Amino acid sequence: MTKVGPKDLAILGGTPAFASPLHVGRPNVGDRAVLLDRINDILDRRWFTNNGFYVQELERRLAELTGARHVIAMANGTVALEIAIRALDLTGEVILPSMTFVATAHALQWQQIQPVFCDVDPRTFTLDPNRIAELITPRTTGILGVHLWGRVCDVEALSEIAVAHGLKLLFDAAHAFHTSHQGRMVGSFGDAEVFSFHATKFFNTFEGGAVATNDDELAAKIRLMKNFGFAGYDNVIHIGTNGKMPEISAAMGLTGLESLEDFVETNRSNYHRYRRELDGLAGVRLWSYPEAERSNYQYIVLDIDETAAGLSRDDLAAILWAENVLARRYFYPGCHAMEPYRTLYPEAAGRLPVTECLVGRTLVLPTGTAVTPAEIGEVCEIVRFALAQGGEIKALMAREVAYA
Ligand code: T4K
């Protein structure tokens, strides 16, 4: 990096550090030749979807890896959530965090179930078990926890509450594939857990997802529901939809699984590089992964304390974007502040002080196999440089730059 003064920052007229964008969420790709062989085989078999050979093989491997009795592959994580919610007979109101991707809330509201937003624990960014009891009403039928950024919810406390109040317990594990909690792999906590295998996830099937559960009856119901309720040719015995994963996605998944440990190792080493490079920076805290557990290290999450850092999260995001580092403000502004929730449930904001604070401070940086260690070094240099001259940069930005 050749920036010596504030004016060298791209946001103030300098040349961007990166000629092409450095994205968050660049997909991991396994062995290309193996994938192409599998795709050729799918073309030869002329069996493209509807519980084909590759989907069955992927489900078997995923069950092995997670330890769950059943893993049911789906077209994406959102439809997997919708089906799991319906199969669990959730109705009325369901308690969930607002600090999540909007799909978690949509999967409920889409089915006329009211998402009741609950605040999160500032140490884990996951549902705060101490704030749940006050939200339970006679209409509450379930709790939907989110293992945000792969940090597993307090499943013990949530299970206790669910049992005490006769509620179903579902987990949105979109970020938590191949992570563990107290030594046990995510996939068999609660009544069911839902994965996303979207392109941006640590492990992807282009688009895809799955429901994992130990409940045989629930699994059978979900299998029916994801295939229009068909129990055999011409025999529909349940309402259903089309939630099926195609063969090409399963081929991508099987190929990715063969490189899973390489993906983890790259992410882990990227994470430690960020840690070393940003260590000790005033006002900047890097979200940490519990070393005693298995983690996928997929999210590099910064918490920016504006007072101590001298720049706000949004200032830093604007500076990075100008340098072509497309950092993301996940999950700003929180589901409760998005439509239709902002209009339908305006009272929610008042009970989410931790969420409201966090959504203004978090910034997600690029990682994964598509980012090189040298690029990470450069991103960190920009962050350090910007923060070192925060006050001066802020004043110049206010004068010279109109940014959102
Ligand atoms: N629950 C949670 C907690 C979730 O995070 C998600 C999904 C779901 C449920 C639902 O699961 P799915 O139905 O999606 O399986 C992205 C993803 O689309 C979404 O899957 C993900 N969460 C969310 C956190 O991120 P956006 O709106 O940020 O997508 P977009 O288009 O801005 O792309 C994100 C970044 O990835 C960009 O920097 C570009 C990069 N990218 C993206 C794609 C698709 C690539 O480099 N290559 C690609 O192919 O939602």
Side-chain angles (χ1 to χ4, degrees):
M1 196 176 81
T2 51
K3 300 185 192 302
V4 288
K7 293 270 191 184
D8 294 322
L9 285 172
I11 199 162
L12 294 167
T15 309
F18 294 92
S20 49
L22 205 61
H23 287 282
V24 167
R26 269 277 189 256
N28 290 326
V29 183
D31 187 317
R32 217 174 264 238
V34 172
L35 173 63
L36 293 176
D37 279 351
R38 285 189 165 123
I39 293 174
N40 267 323
D41 185 50
I42 290 169
L43 297 176
D44 289 343
R45 286 170 183 265
R46 290 180 191 265
W47 194 276
F48 295 169
T49 183
N50 290 15
N51 202 29
F53 168 82
Y54 285 95
V55 162
Q56 290 181 34
E57 183 59 14
L58 180 68
E59 288 184 341
R60 197 186 59 73
R61 291 282 295 117
L62 292 173
E64 247 171 41
L65 277 168
T66 58
R69 280 166 68 85
H70 307 276
V71 177
I72 303 142
M74 298 269 182
N76 57 64
T78 306
V79 85
L81 270 173
E82 287 167 2
I83 291 176
I85 286 164
R86 197 162 182 134
L88 283 167
D89 294 321
L90 298 181
T91 56
E93 298 173 5
V94 169
I95 296 167
L96 76 164
S98 170
M99 182 74 181
T100 178
F101 189 58
V102 74
T104 321
H106 281 349
L108 293 164
Q109 186 70 37
W110 190 255
Q111 311 189 69
Q112 286 78 49
I113 300 165
Q114 179 177 341
V116 176
F117 296 114
C118 177
D119 217 351
V120 291
D121 181 329
R123 290 161 307 171
T124 63
F125 292 22
T126 59
L127 270 182
D128 184 346
N130 298 315
R131 302 293 311 279
I132 290 181
E134 67 205 64
L135 300 175
I136 296 175
T137 74
R139 297 185 71 233
T140 310
T141 56
I143 299 171
L144 173 43
V146 178
H147 303 319
L148 197 79
W149 296 317
R151 174 66 70 93
V152 180
C153 294
D154 185 344
V155 289
E156 291 74 20
L158 296 182
S159 303
E160 247 176 60
I161 298 168
V163 169
H165 295 270
L167 305 175
K168 298 282 172 47
L169 180 59
L170 176 62
F171 290 107
D172 178 337
H175 302 175
F177 178 64
H178 211 49
T179 65
S180 70
H181 173 67
Q182 300 194 354
R184 183 169 144 199
M185 295 305 281
V186 166
S188 51
F189 293 112
D191 291 293
E193 303 205 72
V194 172
F195 295 116
S196 164
F197 305 140
H198 181 263
T200 54
K201 298 294 184 280
F202 148 75
F203 162 72
N204 83 85
T205 59
F206 298 120
E207 285 268 10
V211 182
T213 180
N214 280 344
D215 182 332
D216 299 347
E217 226 173 279
L218 184 70
K221 196 167 166 190
I222 288 171
R223 283 200 181 282
L224 282 174
M225 290 174 103
K226 72 147 188 184
N227 187 28
F228 315 102
F230 273 106
Y233 288 123
D234 312 323
N235 187 22
V236 173
I237 60 167
H238 206 284
I239 185 153
T241 184
N242 183 353
K244 291 168 283 139
M245 176 185 277
E247 286 289 88
I248 194 164
S249 287
M252 179 69 167
L254 284 166
T255 310
L257 286 184
E258 287 155 8
S259 298
L260 205 63
E261 294 311 324
D262 295 340
F263 299 159
V264 176
E265 191 38 43
T266 303
N267 276 357
R268 204 181 64 82
S269 132
N270 289 349
Y271 160 73
H272 283 293
R273 171 100 194 219
Y274 272 114
R275 274 218 93 74
R276 279 196 307 277
E277 298 255 3
L278 300 176
D279 192 36
L281 265 188
V284 175
R285 193 171 60 88
L286 179 63
W287 169 262
S288 68
Y289 288 92
E291 289 296 332
E293 299 290 351
R294 197 181 264 281
S295 297
N296 59 37
Y297 300 94
Q298 174 70 356
Y299 297 94
I300 302 293
V301 185
L302 295 188
D303 175 86
I304 312 290
D305 173 352
E306 180 174 2
T307 314
L311 283 177
S312 69
R313 184 275 310 272
D314 289 352
D315 292 332
L316 186 58
I319 290 169
L320 287 168
W321 271 66
E323 302 292 345
N324 247 336
V325 180
L326 308 190
R328 295 297 295 264
R329 299 185 299 177
Y330 290 138
F331 284 104
Y332 175 82
C335 297
H336 69 284
M338 293 175 169
E339 293 298 354
Y341 313 109
R342 185 173 51 192
T343 301
L344 287 175
Y345 317 115
E347 73 292 347
R351 57 167 190 264
L352 303 169
V354 177
T355 303
E356 291 252 299
C357 171
L358 292 179
V359 294
R361 297 165 55 117
T362 52
L363 190 63
V364 176
L365 298 179
T367 184
T369 51
V371 183
T372 67
E375 287 170 332
I376 291 173
E378 193 134 351
V379 171
C380 292
E381 229 179 303
I382 298 165
V383 172
R384 284 197 306 267
F385 181 80
L387 262 58
Q389 317 171 50
E392 198 181 342
I393 291 173
K394 221 173 147 76
L396 284 167
M397 277 163 68
R399 260 212 322 272
E400 300 184 19
V401 188
Y403 67 97

